[in-house]
Amino acid sequence: MNPVNRWRKPLDFNCIASMPANHKALLRLSNETLDHIPANVQCFTYDREKVTPGIVHIGVGNFSRAHLAMYVEQCLHLPAQEEWGIVGIGIRQGHASVRKAEKVQSQNGLYTLTEYSPNGGVSTRIVGSMIRYLHAPSDPQAALDLIASPAIRIISLTITERGYNIDEKTKEFVLTNNDVQRDLANPDTPRSVFGLIVQALYLRRSKGLRGLTILSCDNLKSNGDVTRKAFLGFAHAREPELAMWIAQNVSFPNSMVDRIAPLVGDSEAAKVDSHSGIADETPVITESFSQWVVEDKFIAGRPKFDQVGVELQTDVAKFEVIKQRLLNGSHKMLAYPALICGYRMVDEALRDKIVVSYLTAFMKRDVIRFVGEICPEGVDLDAYTASIIERFSNPAIGDQLIRIAFNGCVKFSIYLSNTFSTLLSKGATLERAALLAASFEKYLGGSDLKGGRFTPHEPHLTEEDKKLLASGEPYAILKTSAFAKLNLAENEKFRQKFDEARSRMTTEGPEAALAFAAAAE
């Protein structure tokens, strides 16, 4: 008997989702309906009843389910890997988080993962690696008990780049944060990710249990080092001896993650449900490309990641540099000029040959020209550049420019400042960097040069930044926190290129400005 048949029962009428009369009825997804999964959808063949939790993941979203959970899913098909099931934990307060937990739990943690390849291929599978989901605010003790149990050997995180509570200037953990202060005063009822995990580690130490691995899967440079700093910072404020125990018994591998998993709106969900024949409350869509480079520093063991395509490396930092400067940097270089041109979708912009030329010029002339000495051995940067253009051009992903434009004020320093600094120090071409700054300035006004409107999302634009932008100073944008540390406003050559880009955008049009920047050698 196929192992998944252990749950299978005759199909109940309530398992059929209600649909308009002219639509084919869709199957509701749960353990009880696995025997009726449509033939065009792949379903796992391991015995899910035998899978036990070994990983706790905090911050369950589309990316983690398309990336980490997919790699674990592949491991579960290998022999003797049943101990690596994932339990998701939500830590946010509010109705939306409660509703999310209800949706995930109603499907027994199952979900459809639909992959779109650039050549138009589509494949959907059922992912079963997340065997349970807890909403910590609703039952904090259950979450603590789980993490403090001997079975859990990895805590993985996708809590966003800003979620690590590290001060941008001092690079230290921010103890004055309200949630941090609250959890330090009330360790038994934590609300923050730091309070939850450190209390669980305190309980593990009290029980005489071994430590574990805390694995960041966020798109953050040296994410393991940042994670270590954050949790040790919180732990030291609570109890220095506990911080010392964590330092000795918990590992924090650095990792580089790469896969596009956009938001799934109602229309996208309806599309994948129609394709799969399944009414999925929590569908995930993603590209066919996926990459994960990880330090093999798992103090309490790990799944057989090396057998399912994960790259276990010692020089993760080099892979990070290449990915952040080329892929993430290109996302930012694309978002603002493309929005100003009137585009709203990434693939739509990439159908414009001028946009492709501009992005290619940025990668080859502004990045690759200067990163040869830090390129990991065996990586073909020209092929990597071509793959980025191909991935961005994938129409099925439906990625929004406004999404990748989000929080540029912070992300410029992460993804572009090193490249811009190199261009300035080498006396290199500045046309593309200047166009980016001019486009960001226009973007903040919430309108393109074709009469269209959009809503900028810059939650970390400071009050000083806003005063500067309202002052009317000609180079105010270059003095904001987005660019201030590069001293662009004091650089005469950059100011000249910035003036030219801004003038060309408004007098000749954004396409002409892009074409000019693309041609700059």
Side-chain angles (χ1 to χ4, degrees):
M1 181 176 68
N2 188 306
V4 295
N5 282 327
R6 291 177 178 270
W7 308 296
R8 295 179 176 177
K9 302 176 181 179
L11 189 61
D12 184 87
F13 180 78
N14 291 325
C15 295
I16 302 297
S18 59
M19 294 289 290
N22 61 337
H23 283 70
K24 183 180 178 180
L26 302 180
L27 187 73
R28 293 195 186 280
L29 184 59
S30 71
N31 286 343
E32 288 71 30
T33 60
L34 286 173
D35 197 36
H36 307 277
I37 296 299
N40 63 312
V41 177
Q42 301 175 54
C43 191
F44 50 85
T45 57
Y46 56 83
D47 188 343
R48 196 168 184 242
E49 283 193 339
K50 292 183 178 179
V51 177
T52 57
I55 302 171
V56 162
H57 184 79
I58 298 177
V60 176
N62 289 355
F63 175 77
S64 66
R65 292 187 296 149
H67 197 264
L68 166 75
M70 187 64 247
Y71 284 108
V72 174
E73 177 79 358
Q74 293 171 329
C75 288
L76 291 176
H77 284 91
L78 301 174
Q81 292 293 286
E82 297 88 353
E83 61 190 349
W84 292 112
I86 300 172
V87 178
I89 295 183
I91 61 170
R92 291 185 178 179
Q93 306 274 347
H95 174 74
S97 294
V98 172
R99 179 66 183 129
K100 175 181 176 178
E102 291 172 347
K103 288 181 178 181
V104 174
Q105 291 163 354
S106 73
Q107 297 186 167
N108 307 115
L110 300 166
Y111 60 92
T112 57
L113 177 66
T114 300
E115 298 181 355
Y116 294 101
S117 62
N119 65 8
V122 184
S123 65
T124 299
R125 68 180 68 196
I126 307 295
V127 178
S129 54
M130 184 168 63
I131 58 175
R132 190 179 172 198
Y133 186 88
L134 301 175
H135 183 239
S138 301
D139 191 350
Q141 193 59 50
L144 285 170
D145 290 344
L146 174 69
I147 303 173
S149 67
I152 300 303
R153 290 185 278 165
I154 296 173
I155 303 171
S156 53
L157 307 169
T158 44
I159 56 176
T160 78
E161 297 96 326
R162 299 287 294 185
Y164 293 84
N165 195 40
I166 299 294
D167 185 273
E168 289 290 326
K169 294 180 180 179
T170 66
K171 305 302 181 185
E172 297 298 327
F173 186 73
V174 181
L175 290 170
T176 55
N177 177 284
N178 290 338
D179 287 340
V180 167
Q181 286 294 309
R182 189 260 170 212
D183 282 359
L184 287 172
N186 303 276
D188 294 333
T189 57
R191 292 181 182 172
S192 73
V193 64
F194 309 105
L196 177 68
I197 291 178
V198 170
Q199 174 64 6
L201 292 174
Y202 168 83
L203 294 173
R204 292 179 75 96
R205 184 188 65 168
S206 301
K207 295 176 182 179
L209 298 178
R210 61 181 174 178
L212 42 65
T213 294
I214 300 180
L215 174 65
S216 171
C217 297
D218 278 303
N219 189 24
L220 184 68
K221 184 179 179 182
S222 302
N223 57 11
D225 298 337
V226 172
T227 304
R228 187 177 193 276
K229 180 180 287 290
F231 283 94
L232 288 181
F234 180 93
H236 190 271
R238 176 178 164 173
E239 180 192 321
E241 292 79 10
L242 177 59
M244 185 178 300
W245 183 89
I246 292 172
Q248 295 172 349
N249 293 276
V250 177
S251 60
F252 300 86
N254 285 307
S255 70
M256 188 279 282
V257 298
D258 190 4
R259 197 171 208 192
I260 298 172
L263 296 173
V264 182
D266 291 342
S267 61
E268 291 83 10
K271 179 181 176 182
V272 296
D273 285 358
S274 177
H275 168 76
S276 68
I278 297 170
D280 187 353
E281 292 275 4
T282 63
V284 180
I285 63 175
T286 188
E287 60 181 333
S288 53
F289 178 91
S290 184
Q291 186 180 21
W292 194 9
V293 183
V294 191
E295 284 183 308
D296 199 1
K297 291 169 52 178
F298 293 84
I299 198 168
R302 59 165 171 78
K304 294 180 180 178
F305 285 142
D306 53 315
Q307 296 188 28
V308 295
V310 179
E311 301 173 61
L312 300 175
Q313 300 280 353
T314 57
D315 57 348
V316 173
K318 288 187 176 182
F319 287 88
E320 288 178 337
V321 169
I322 296 304
K323 188 244 181 170
Q324 292 191 350
R325 294 198 189 184
L326 286 171
L327 180 84
N328 300 123
S330 291
H331 254 154
K332 291 301 169 189
M333 291 296 290
L334 166 69
Y336 310 100
L339 281 167
I340 301 311
C341 286
Y343 295 119
R344 295 295 180 266
M345 306 302 291
V346 174
D347 63 284
E348 178 189 21
L350 267 291
R351 289 195 288 274
D352 186 331
K353 293 181 180 179
I354 296 175
V355 172
V356 173
S357 296
Y358 158 79
L359 269 189
T360 302
F362 164 73
M363 288 188 277
K364 292 194 172 184
R365 300 176 200 157
D366 298 344
V367 181
I368 291 177
R369 182 181 290 176
F370 303 109
V371 298
E373 70 278 5
I374 56 175
C375 179
E377 185 177 352
V379 174
D380 183 334
L381 292 180
D382 288 332
Y384 190 66
T385 297
S387 75
I388 289 172
I389 297 296
E390 181 181 56
R391 293 168 65 192
F392 286 5
S393 301
N394 189 337
I397 296 301
D399 208 1
Q400 299 179 357
L401 288 164
I402 199 71
R403 183 192 75 83
I404 62 174
F406 171 77
N407 209 13
C409 191
V410 168
K411 292 185 177 180
F412 288 148
S413 64
I414 301 172
Y415 303 136
L416 288 174
S417 62
N418 286 327
T419 294
F420 285 13
S421 180
T422 300
L423 295 175
L424 291 165
S425 66
K426 299 288 187 181
T429 300
L430 295 174
E431 276 79 0
R432 287 172 288 276
L435 178 63
L436 182 280
S439 299
F440 185 65
E441 179 184 53
K442 180 64 178 173
Y443 155 82
L444 291 177
S447 64
D448 60 37
L449 289 171
K450 301 296 179 68
R453 300 287 302 177
F454 49 80
T455 302
H457 296 284
E458 291 298 323
H460 294 99
L461 203 65
T462 67
E463 290 302 317
E464 288 184 7
D465 290 336
K466 294 173 184 177
K467 289 178 181 178
L468 263 174
L469 294 170
S471 70
E473 288 188 39
Y475 301 110
I477 189 68
L478 303 183
K479 298 178 182 179
T480 62
S481 56
F483 302 109
K485 74 175 185 179
L486 292 170
N487 297 315
L488 299 179
E490 288 74 47
N491 187 297
E492 182 179 355
K493 181 180 177 181
F494 193 90
R495 290 200 311 270
Q496 176 190 344
K497 298 299 182 183
F498 174 76
D499 286 338
E500 291 173 358
R502 186 161 54 176
S503 174
R504 191 171 287 109
M505 283 171 56
T506 55
T507 59
E508 300 178 37
E511 293 87 353
L514 269 170
F516 186 86
E521 294 287 342

